[in-house]
Amino acid sequence: MAIDKNYDRLQVKVSKVRSDVRQKIVKFKETSLDILGENLSSLLQRFDQIEGDNQVELIRIYSEAMTVTQTINSGGLPSLRLTGVVTVTKKGESRDPELHLATGANVQIIETGRNRQSPPQALCRHKAIQLGHYTGAVCYHEGFTYVGLDRRGVGKLDKFRNLNKDFINLIDFVDSIVVLDNMIYVLIWKSNFFVSSYDMSGLLLVSWLHDDLPVNNAKNKMAVFNGKIIIARRLAKVLVLYSSFGELLKVVPCPLLDLCSTDICTLDSERVAVSVYQTDTIFCMNMNTSEVLWKCTSIWRPRALVCYGLHFLLISTDVVPSEQTVYVLNSKTGESCSLLSEKSSLQPLPVAVRRKGGESNVVIEHGTMVLDMEIVDDTLLVSRPTEHSLIMFELY
């Protein structure tokens, strides 16, 4: 009965905006496509006029052309501002689609894997993939898994788990990897943090400085937020938004940040979740108002964050050596939902714990430390840096 009412309500919403949607599409077809075609012709002329080996101009023209072609391929629909649009998304075969109502922001497709109205109840280890390197970053995109191999670069795993360790060669530490608009973004640090973008073949496009000096090897993470790159700048206690080509777009005050390992996860078109390792804090912030919507301080040493559908947030933490532990929070309220623990015959490396004056100064040197997580359908990918491995867990 409740489902029927929801569908009736959604049908009314669709009917109200149907005419507006059609008019906008027709207008785009009749006007914008002609303009985009002229833009491409102009870019080709500029390309033919390049003198010598001007790599900067080549990259600039390539980036502009990519933006134009992506707009044409998408039909311009991402720029429509519509209230009450229903998006039905599906990821993987034999999955239940999840309905989502847009609330006035740009129409945004959210891949959900399945209708995750309930938190996961069980965690079962499926497979361990040995990478041969300390790894602190993992990202999945269209059948490939990209992993950060410190002091080597970015490796690429195909669906058969074949690893190309030389996909992107770097001599620096890789903290984070994300994919946006068919470009791979890598956050690396040496004397400072840098963001480098590559095309899907691994060719470097552009690189820029993210001024946030690493303190005691504290890890930092990126996320994709409304078509932009978001990263914490912990020294200044702000969240920074960059365009896909490194232009600084927005700086949002974030006083809860600290000089320690930090992770960030996009919850929806307005909110992000952030973990602060040293202060045992996870909080949710509205990026439009800079308001902290909720704060959780009950999870000891939170590390990696990943969204589970629209309603839940999974958090890894430093734990005892015999099990992988994942906390589950309600992403709307910050309330704790469950604690998933997994015991396995595949034992990780021993944990060496050094205590200095109390629980707040426990240092975990080896063991089940997790620096990044990713969800693909109902599989949780977990990077175990000290074991040089990527662990696959099934969520039930």
Side-chain angles (χ1 to χ4, degrees), residues 23 45 74 87 114 128-129 147 150 157 159 162 171 194-195 218 231 248 261 299 301 315 356 391:
Q23 290 176 9
Q45 291 178 2
S74 64
T87 60
R114 66 180 176 88
I129 302 173
V147 290
D150 275 351
L157 277 165
K159 62 181 180 180
N162 298 314
I171 61 173
F194 293 85
V195 181
I231 321 176
L248 180 61
S261 292
I299 298 177
R301 295 299 188 262
I315 303 102
K356 294 182 179 179
I391 312 296

Side-chain angles (χ1 to χ4, degrees), residues 54-111:
N54 191 338
Q55 296 185 16
V56 174
E57 183 65 13
L58 282 171
I59 292 174
R60 182 180 292 112
I61 294 175
Y62 176 84
S63 301
E64 293 178 19
M66 180 180 292
T67 301
V68 173
T69 55
Q70 287 169 354
T71 302
I72 294 175
N73 290 336
S74 64
L77 291 179
S79 65
L80 292 175
R81 298 187 64 83
L82 302 168
T83 300
V85 172
V86 181
T87 60
V88 182
T89 57
K90 193 172 183 180
K91 185 177 180 181
E93 296 298 324
S94 302
R95 303 289 176 185
D96 297 325
E98 181 165 306
L99 294 173
H100 175 62
L101 274 176
T103 58
N106 288 351
V107 175
Q108 183 179 16
I109 292 177
I110 302 175
E111 292 184 333

Side-chain angles (χ1 to χ4, degrees), residues 14 35 38 47 65 70 114 120 155 163 171 182 189 208 218 221 326 332 341 348 370 380 393:
V14 172
I35 296 174
E38 293 176 0
F47 184 86
Q70 287 169 354
R114 66 180 176 88
L163 175 62
I171 61 173
N182 287 321
W189 68 268
W208 70 88
K221 296 291 181 181
V326 175
K332 304 290 185 182
S341 294
V370 172
L380 178 67
F393 294 95

Side-chain angles (χ1 to χ4, degrees), residues 361-379:
N361 291 315
V362 172
V363 179
I364 294 192
E365 297 174 332
H366 303 288
T368 57
M369 179 175 64
V370 172
L371 293 185
D372 206 359
M373 298 191 297
E374 178 81 297
I375 288 182
V376 183
D377 291 335
D378 291 311
T379 299

Side-chain angles (χ1 to χ4, degrees), residues 253-267:
C254 191
L256 291 179
L257 290 174
D258 206 337
L259 297 180
C260 60
S261 292
T262 302
D263 202 347
I264 188 166
C265 175
T266 297
L267 300 177

